Amino acid sequence: MSFFPYAVAAWLFIIGLYGIVTSRNFVHLVICLAVLQSSTYVLLLSIGYRVGGTAPVFAAVPVGTLAVDPVVQALMLTDIVVEATVVALLLALALQLHKHANTLDPDKLKALEG
Amino acid sequence: MSTLAPLPVVIPLSVAAILSALNKFVGRRLSEALAILTTIATGVICGELLLQARVQPVMHWFGGWTPRAGVALGISFVIDPIAAGAAVFTSLLVLAALIFSLHYFDTVGTLFHVLMLGFLGAMCGFALTGDLFNLFVFFELMSASAFALCGYKVEEPESMQGALNFGITNTVGAFLVLSGIGLLYGRTGALNMAQIGRTLGGNLDGLVITAFIFIMAGFFIKAAVFPFHFWLADAHAVAPTPVCVLFSGIMVELGIYAVLRVYWVIFDGPFAAHRWDVRALLLAVGSITAVVGAVMCFGQRHIKRLLAFSTVSHVGLLTIGFGVLKEGALAGVALYVLGHGLVKAALFLVAGLLLHRFSSVDELELHGRACRMQATGVVFFVAALGLASMPGFATFLGESGIIDGAKGIGQGWVRAVFVIAGVLTAGAVLRVWGRVFRGMGKAEDAETAGAKKIDEGRETNAASHGIPAVMFAPAAALVLLAVAIGLMPGVKRAVRTAAIVMQDRTGYQARVLEHAWIPVTPAEEEHTPIGKGLAWSFGTTAAALVLAFLSLSPYWPSKHVLARPVAKTVHLLRAIHSGHVGDYVAFLTFGVAAFGVVLAVLIHLR
C-alpha cells in the first residue's frame, strides 16, 4: 500500500482547517468543513484498500477471493449520512444569520467578545 | 443478554420520531406530557439497569451478534455502574429542564421536545455503548441535536453566531475522533473497544500515540478543555436556559467520560509504562483550564456566560481527576460530575427565572431588583456554596476523592488549583447573588466593565409577576439532591467500587469477549482522616464569600498599582475569546499539535 493516499488525507485535513481559520464567509466556512470531512473518507477507504482486491460483493465469486474491506466502506457511508445532516444544519444556521444580521462575515459579528 | 439495555436509546428516539411526524396535530400540552413521560420512563429503565449493573455489568449484543471464539463483530452495549449512572443522571437533568420549560417558553413548539428527546437518546447511547464507532455516531447525534437546540432562537443573530461557533468547532472535533478511530481500525481490524484493547496489548508506537491524541482532543473539544473551550461560553450565552442546564450539567462531562472510557479500555495497556507522561500532560492541561476558566468567570457580567466559564473551570478540575489515573480519583470525578452538574443546573435555572422575571441576565442591570425573590435567592446562594465544594455537598466528596488520589501519587499541589477555581468561581456567583438578590455594591463596577453587555432575547411572552412553581421547584430539588448525595453514607464507597469496575481493563475484555464475569473486590470503607480536607474546603468557601463581599465593597482595589498586571492579564485573556470561529479553530489546531508534540517528546525522553 502506497503512502500517497494518506498524504492526500492529511493534506485535505490541513487545507480544510486553513480554510476554516481564514474564511470570511460562513457559507464558505461550512464548505471548508466539508472539505476537511472528505479527508476522513480518503483515510477510511485507503485503510480498507487491498491491492488487487475486488469490490466486497460476494456473489458469484469463488470463496477466498481477495476483496477490499467492506467495514470501512460502511463506516464511510455512515459518516456521509451523519455529516450531511450536520452540514445542512450549519448552512441553515448561516442562512438565518444572514436573514437577521444581514452579513455572513464572522469578522463583522462582535456580540460574543470576551 | 439484557432486553432492557437498548431501551434508553430506542424509547426517546422513537417518541421523537413520532412527535416530529405528527408535529402538526400534536398540541403543546400533549407533546410536553409525552416528552416528560418518555424521559421518566427512560430514567426508570436506566435506574433498573444501574441496579442490575451493580451486581454484574449488563451486556447486550445487537441482532444477537455475540462474539465467537473471542472475536467480536457485532455492536454491543456494555453497561457498568458508571455508564448506567451517567444515563440516569442525563435523564434526571433532561426531566428538570423539561419541567422548567413547561412555563418557560411560550413560543415552545413540538420540535423543541423532539430535539430534547433526540438529545436524551443520544446521550444515553453515548454512555452505554461498548463500540468505538457507535460512540462516534452517538457523539454526532448528540452534537446535531445540541447545535439545533443552541440555535433555537433563530431570530437572534448572536444565537446563530453562537450555534455556528459551537457547531463548527465540535464538528472538527468529531473528524478528529473519526480519524483516530480509522487509525486504530487500521492497526487492529476491530471497532469493539474491548477487542481493540486486547489486540493492541501493550504495544506503543507513533500510530497509537497519534490515534490517542486525535481521539482525546476530539472529545476534549466537547468537554471544553483549554485550548478547546472557546465555543462553550458563546453557546451558553445564547442557548435557551433549559438547554444550558443540559450543556453544562451533562453534555460537557460526557466528553470527559468518553476519554476516560477510551483510556481505561484501550489505551491503558499501551501507555502502561508511560503513565507519568500522560499524567504530566493531563495535570498541566487540567490546571490551565481550571485557572483560565476561573479568571474569565470572575470577569463576566452576563450571568449565563459567567456560569459557562465556571463550567470550563470545573471541567479543568475533572481533567485533573482523570489525569491522576487512579481509581480513587476516578470515583472522585464521578461524584464531582454529579455534584457539579446538580448545582450548576440549579444556578442556570435561577438565571432562567431572572430572565423570565426581568428580561435580563445582566448582573449590573439586575442590581438589587431581585431582593423580593427570597426563596430563589436562597437556592442561588446555597448552589454557589456547592460550587466551592463546601463539605456536605457531593462536590466535596468528589474533590476529596480527587485530591486524595493526587496525594497518593505525590501530587498534592493540585489542592491549590482546586482552591483557586473554587474561590474565583464561587466568589463570582456569590458576587452576583449579593448584587442581584441583596442589592449590595454599585450598579457599575470596574471589574466587569470590560465585559460586554449582551442583549438577551426574552424566552417568555408575558411579563409575569411572581414565580411559577414549575420553574422554582426543579432548581430547589436539584440543590437538595446535591446535598442529599453529599450526606448519604456509603455513597463514596459505592462509587469507588464502580470506579474499580470501570478501570479493570482485563476484566472488561473478559466480560465482553468471553462473557466471563470476574467479580471485583468492593472498595474498603475508608478511614482516612478528612479533618484537613474539611478545613481546606471550609476555607475555600469562606474565601469565596470574602472575595464576593470585597468585590462589592468600596474598598475593592481595582485601580491599585498591584492590580494593574492582573488587569492586563485578564484583558489579554479576554482578547483571545474573540467570538471569531476562525480564531477558535486556530487555537484548536495549535492545541492538538501541542498535545501531540508534548506527549511524544515526554515518551521519547524516557
Side-chain angles (χ1 to χ4, degrees), chain B residues 46-59 78-85 498 501 517:
Chain B
C46 294
E48 169 62 22
L49 284 170
L50 175 62
L51 291 180
Q52 289 181 10
R54 281 191 62 187
V55 183
Q56 178 180 341
V58 180
M59 294 284 311
V78 185
I79 307 174
D80 64 4
I82 290 203
V501 175
W517 162 238

Side-chain angles (χ1 to χ4, degrees), chain B residues 450-534:
Chain B
K452 258 211 174 131
K453 181 171 171 291
I454 303 170
D455 283 321
E456 182 81 14
R458 292 191 60 98
E459 293 175 356
T460 43
N461 290 342
S464 70
H465 299 286
I467 304 143
V470 287
M471 298 177 84
F472 175 72
L478 291 175
V479 173
L480 284 178
L481 193 60
V483 179
I485 294 177
L487 295 176
M488 204 191 303
V491 65
K492 206 171 171 184
R493 191 172 158 207
V495 175
R496 221 181 141 97
T497 311
I500 295 176
V501 175
M502 187 175 182
Q503 278 196 321
D504 179 15
R505 182 164 45 92
T506 44
Y508 184 95
Q509 290 165 0
R511 218 151 67 218
V512 175
L513 301 175
E514 274 94 35
H515 207 71
W517 162 238
I518 311 153
V520 296
T521 13
E524 301 280 314
E525 190 59 64
E526 279 177 281
H527 294 293
T528 43
I530 49 166
K532 236 181 174 178
L534 273 179

Side-chain angles (χ1 to χ4, degrees), chain B residues 274-571:
Chain B
H274 295 279
R275 267 199 189 170
W276 273 107
D277 305 326
V278 180
R279 268 184 195 140
L281 177 68
L282 290 173
L283 291 181
V285 169
S287 307
I288 296 171
T289 309
V291 173
V292 169
V295 171
M296 283 302 292
C297 170
F298 199 76
Q300 299 297 319
R301 58 184 277 190
H302 184 280
I303 297 174
K304 276 159 80 179
R305 222 174 143 81
L306 181 146
L307 293 173
F309 276 114
S310 123
T311 301
V312 172
S313 178
H314 289 266
V315 160
L317 303 180
L318 294 175
T319 310
I320 292 176
F322 166 39
V324 172
L325 303 181
K326 287 273 174 207
E327 79 265 359
L330 177 57
V333 170
L335 281 166
Y336 203 89
V337 166
L338 275 182
H340 168 262
L342 290 168
V343 295
K344 185 58 65 65
L347 289 170
F348 268 115
L349 291 180
V350 173
L353 269 171
L354 291 173
L355 183 58
H356 166 70
R357 189 84 173 69
F358 304 110
S359 313
S360 167
V361 282
D362 187 76
E363 181 191 340
L364 303 182
E365 209 174 86
L366 287 174
H367 175 250
R369 284 175 68 186
C371 289
R372 291 239 179 119
M373 296 162 72
Q374 283 172 354
T376 315
V378 170
V379 170
F380 198 72
F381 181 77
V382 176
L385 298 182
L387 216 51
S389 302
M390 193 171 95
F393 284 91
T395 38
F396 170 69
L397 294 183
E399 184 193 85
S400 59
I402 294 172
I403 291 176
D404 287 346
K407 274 187 191 156
I409 57 164
Q411 306 294 313
W413 58 268
V414 301
R415 163 85 70 193
V417 183
F418 275 82
V419 170
I420 294 172
V423 169
L424 282 176
T425 58
V429 175
L430 288 168
R431 185 192 71 208
V432 171
W433 173 78
R435 192 170 272 137
V436 175
F437 290 96
R438 279 275 162 271
M440 295 178 343
K442 282 179 287 186
E444 71 231 36
D445 92 44
E447 287 323 294
T448 45
K452 258 211 174 131
K453 181 171 171 291
I454 303 170
D455 283 321
E456 182 81 14
R458 292 191 60 98
E459 293 175 356
T460 43
N461 290 342
S464 70
H465 299 286
I467 304 143
V470 287
M471 298 177 84
F472 175 72
L478 291 175
V479 173
L480 284 178
L481 193 60
V483 179
I485 294 177
L487 295 176
M488 204 191 303
V491 65
K492 206 171 171 184
R493 191 172 158 207
V495 175
R496 221 181 141 97
T497 311
I500 295 176
V501 175
M502 187 175 182
Q503 278 196 321
D504 179 15
R505 182 164 45 92
T506 44
Y508 184 95
Q509 290 165 0
R511 218 151 67 218
V512 175
L513 301 175
E514 274 94 35
H515 207 71
W517 162 238
I518 311 153
V520 296
T521 13
E524 301 280 314
E525 190 59 64
E526 279 177 281
H527 294 293
T528 43
I530 49 166
K532 236 181 174 178
L534 273 179
W536 273 106
S537 289
F538 274 122
T540 307
T541 316
L545 278 167
V546 170
L547 180 71
F549 287 114
L550 259 184
S551 68
L552 290 170
S553 77
Y555 305 110
W556 184 250
S558 52
K559 296 272 187 315
H560 196 271
V561 191
L562 291 175
R564 261 180 226 154
V566 179
K568 256 189 192 153
T569 323
V570 172
H571 185 75

